[in-house]
């Protein structure tokens, strides 16, 4: 488990061990608000000798006020997408080696959101990614989740082109009552009251992630968007291969040290 708060991660590890004493769980620090933290984590993981069959890019921040990451990039775009882009790239050689040596399909799972349907006009603000003018917290969240979806699509295209035995998919986990809404008073209030009867529980919200990461029915499926454990249809932006390529090229210099 790659976690920002190691103490919290260790508590979760203890809970897992209580339920499954034979489980082997490691906790390592990773702060997606910092690319140096991403690089440090990837370096430690790749040096550990651990294989890597499945990578789930699951961290997120939602509808925050305009803020910059430690690398001076708009926070939601940096945390929800760009650091995952960097992390995945740094771990790819490990994943490719694992897939080849184990002769088992590797899987990359990106947690997007139905909010990807509501980004800024044009999908991604390439020329004004850090501009406070015109910033909207909900649209910035939608932009970051669209980028997450496009990242999986472009990975899938590249894996197919290279003949690599790794798939990449994205998904919407559903509305889940967690602290994700902490930056948005209205959404937080709704989630804590009426939303309790409408939102998914944490296990329900994790179901699609587990399905896409583990289920045999998803063998060989790549470049798809899932909702409720089924392939779903994305938007025109979410299916735009040229936009995905442009985002990839845009992201490379932002993640170079």
């Amino acid at each position: 488990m790659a976690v920002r708060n190691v103490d919290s991660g260790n508590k979760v590890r203890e809970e897992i061990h209580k339920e499954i004493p034979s489980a082997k769980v490691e906790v390592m620090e990773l702060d997606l608000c910092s690319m140096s933290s991403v690089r440090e984590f990837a370096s430690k993981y790749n040096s550990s000798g651990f294989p890597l069959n499945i990578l789930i890019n699951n961290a997120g921040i939602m509808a925050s006020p305009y803020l910059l990451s430690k690398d001076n990039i708009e926070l939601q775009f940096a945390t929800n997408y760009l650091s995952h882009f960097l992390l995945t790239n740094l771990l790819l050689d490990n994943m490719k080696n694992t897939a080849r040596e184990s002769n088992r399909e590797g899987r990359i799972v990106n947690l997007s959101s139905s909010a990807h349907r509501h980004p800024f006009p044009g999908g991604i603000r390439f020329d004004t990614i850090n501009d406070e003018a015109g910033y909207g917290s909900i649209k910035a969240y939608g932009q970051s989740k669209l980028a997450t979806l496009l990242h999986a699509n472009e990975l899938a295209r590249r894996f197919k082109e290279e003949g690599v035995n790794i798939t990449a998919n994205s998904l919407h986990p559903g509305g889940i009552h967690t602290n994700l809404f902490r930056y948005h008073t209205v959404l937080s209030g709704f989630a804590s009251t009426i939303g309790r009867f409408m939102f998914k529980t944490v296990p329900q919200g994790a179901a699609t992630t587990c399905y896409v990461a583990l289920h045999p029915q998803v063998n060989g499926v790549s470049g798809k968007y899932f909702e409720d454990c089924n392939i779903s249809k994305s938007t025109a932006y979410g299916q735009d291969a040229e936009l995905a390529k442009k985002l990839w090229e845009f992201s490379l210099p932002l993640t170079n040290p």
Side-chain angles (χ1 to χ4, degrees), residues 60-252:
I61 184 172
M62 181 181 180
S64 66
Y66 178 80
L67 296 167
L68 296 178
S69 71
K70 294 176 182 177
D71 303 282
N72 292 316
I73 298 170
E74 190 274 305
L75 188 62
Q76 294 191 80
F77 187 78
T79 304
N80 296 352
Y81 162 67
L82 200 58
S83 286
H84 284 146
F85 175 86
L86 174 62
L87 177 66
T88 303
N89 281 354
L90 293 174
L91 296 175
L92 266 185
D93 283 345
N94 189 327
M95 288 204 74
K96 291 176 181 179
N97 290 336
T98 301
R100 183 174 58 252
E101 293 170 5
S102 67
N103 198 30
R104 296 183 67 180
E105 176 183 273
R107 296 187 183 182
I108 296 174
V109 182
N110 281 3
L111 267 75
S112 179
S113 166
S114 61
H116 83 272
R117 303 180 187 280
H118 307 288
F120 293 107
I124 308 292
R125 298 202 305 173
F126 289 107
D127 297 327
T128 56
I129 200 71
N130 281 344
D131 285 9
E132 186 171 4
Y135 177 83
S137 62
I138 299 296
K139 287 192 176 297
Y141 180 69
Q143 171 183 250
S144 71
K145 289 303 183 177
L146 172 62
T148 298
L149 187 157
L150 292 172
H151 177 216
N153 291 356
E154 179 63 7
L155 280 169
R157 185 191 71 79
R158 287 170 177 261
F159 292 153
K160 183 178 180 180
E161 193 175 80
E162 296 175 27
V164 176
N165 189 23
I166 302 174
T167 63
N169 293 290
S170 60
L171 62 92
H172 169 55
I176 309 166
H177 185 226
T178 68
N179 67 348
L180 186 65
F181 303 103
R182 62 189 179 276
Y183 286 107
H184 203 285
T185 304
V186 174
L187 290 178
S188 180
F190 177 79
S192 298
T193 53
I194 300 173
R196 286 184 176 274
F197 303 99
M198 299 174 62
F199 286 0
K200 294 181 177 181
T201 63
V202 171
Q204 289 169 342
T208 303
T209 301
C210 293
Y211 175 76
V212 177
L214 299 167
H215 205 286
Q217 288 181 349
V218 191
N219 283 347
V221 177
S222 196
K224 301 299 183 181
Y225 170 71
F226 288 77
E227 292 187 23
D228 294 325
C229 298
N230 285 286
I231 293 175
S232 186
K233 188 174 181 180
S234 180
T235 62
Y237 288 142
Q239 300 174 68
D240 190 332
E242 292 305 313
L243 184 61
K245 291 178 186 177
K246 182 177 180 180
L247 177 63
W248 185 283
E249 296 302 322
F250 175 77
S251 304
L252 285 173

Side-chain angles (χ1 to χ4, degrees), residues 9-19:
N10 284 328
K11 290 177 182 177
V12 172
R13 179 175 61 179
E14 290 172 7
E15 291 175 8
I16 293 172
H17 280 151
K18 287 178 182 177
E19 291 189 29

